[in-house]
Amino acid sequence: MNEDLLTTENIESELSEIAKRNFVDVYFLNMKSSTPDVAIPRDNTVVMNPNFTTKVSPKYRLAHELSHVLYGDPDAQSVYYFSEYGKRGEERLAHRNAIHMLMSIEMPTSVNTFMEYYHVPSWLEKDVENIFMELNN
């Protein structure tokens, strides 16, 4: 990704705008490092923990949690806790939608660039590749 075009601040600003346009409240609360970020779809709420210990970028995590609220099934689960290892159902959908959302904000120059910039778990590489190809057509 060309960081000259979009700074971290701008990516966060774009994600905040997406939340605002969709009436999603986003809170940043300093909690224990073991407490993950949370999405509560029925309340249109996301709670981000800046102290959460994970290699995954906070920007990616925010896009992931927003995806639960915007595109998920509020009846499937009342609360979602971020996990880079969640591979089934709603978690997989939130990962894919987060990738799509971030690539829509700024298209990366390559799959590897995206993976490295956002510290996306390696098991999602095929999804990143598929969305990259889809958006480049």
Side-chain angles (χ1 to χ4, degrees), residues 2-125:
N2 185 344
E3 289 189 70
D4 295 334
L5 295 178
L6 214 62
T7 65
T8 295
E9 201 172 278
N10 289 344
I11 294 169
E12 290 169 357
S13 176
E14 287 292 322
L15 291 171
S16 292
E17 280 301 311
I18 290 168
K20 190 185 299 183
R21 277 194 310 271
N22 291 282
F23 307 101
V24 178
D25 293 320
V26 178
Y27 300 98
F28 292 86
L29 300 176
N30 288 311
M31 297 178 277
K32 292 179 183 177
S33 62
S34 60
T35 304
D37 308 311
V38 176
I40 309 164
R42 286 193 178 187
D43 291 338
N44 279 358
T45 300
V46 169
V47 179
M48 299 297 296
N49 177 9
N51 300 325
F52 180 49
T53 302
T54 180
K55 291 180 183 176
V56 180
S57 152
K59 294 174 289 297
Y60 180 87
R61 292 172 16 225
L62 177 55
H64 176 93
E65 297 308 329
L66 283 171
S67 293
H68 277 302
V69 174
L70 298 175
Y71 311 114
D73 178 0
D75 295 324
Q77 194 168 320
S78 58
V79 177
Y80 293 93
Y81 299 94
F82 182 81
S83 170
E84 60 192 276
Y85 307 107
K87 297 181 181 183
R88 293 189 284 163
E90 290 287 314
E91 283 304 311
R92 188 71 179 252
L93 180 63
H95 281 299
R96 289 179 181 146
N97 285 324
I99 294 163
H100 192 279
M101 186 183 300
L102 291 167
M103 284 188 186
S104 296
I105 291 171
E106 182 183 359
M107 194 63 190
T109 55
S110 72
V111 169
N112 287 341
T113 302
F114 184 89
M115 298 286 294
E116 289 172 13
Y117 185 80
Y118 291 107
H119 303 281
V120 177
S122 60
W123 68 268
L124 283 163
E125 185 172 3

